[in-house]
Amino acid sequence: MQNLKEVALKEIRLSGLNPRRHFDEQKMAELTNSVKEKGVIQPLVVRVVKGKYELVCGERRFKAAQMAELKAVLAVIRELTDVEAMEFQ
């Protein structure tokens, strides 16, 4: 099951499963400027873990939205196991 919903950034937590740890500062600045101008064009992918939204895909977009001081973004909510979430990541 999946659905599309506007989710407050403060309700989304990062996943400890995501293997990506480094984000190029210059590219993040460029993405943040784009988000300020156009918003987040592609929805994030989240799943519900213990009643909270956990980010599965879109950490760069999530961080850029935070830096652009957005309050909420569109997110696709998926039912995923840890293994499935890691495959997405």
Side-chain angles (χ1 to χ4, degrees), residues 11-44:
E11 294 181 19
I12 301 172
R13 68 180 180 97
L14 298 178
S15 170
L17 302 173
N18 193 340
R20 189 171 188 184
R21 302 284 180 230
H22 173 73
F23 300 93
D24 181 272
E25 287 183 37
Q26 181 178 350
K27 290 185 180 190
M28 282 302 304
E30 291 169 3
L31 182 57
T32 299
N33 288 335
S34 173
V35 167
K36 284 179 182 176
E37 290 177 25
K38 301 172 186 148
V40 177
I41 296 169
Q42 183 177 5
L44 307 178

Side-chain angles (χ1 to χ4, degrees), residues 54-89:
E54 180 181 84
L55 185 63
V56 176
C57 297
E59 189 166 344
R60 288 184 69 239
R61 285 172 275 144
F62 174 75
K63 289 179 181 288
Q66 287 178 315
M67 289 189 282
E69 299 181 348
L70 297 185
K71 300 293 182 214
V73 293
L74 283 178
V76 176
I77 303 165
R78 306 269 318 236
E79 289 183 15
L80 301 168
T81 66
D82 286 350
V83 171
E84 292 168 328
M86 288 182 1
E87 289 173 353
F88 273 63
Q89 294 168 339

Side-chain angles (χ1 to χ4, degrees), residues 4-15:
L4 187 64
K5 177 181 177 184
E6 187 170 70
V7 178
L9 289 177
K10 66 182 182 181
E11 294 181 19
I12 301 172
R13 68 180 180 97
L14 298 178
S15 170

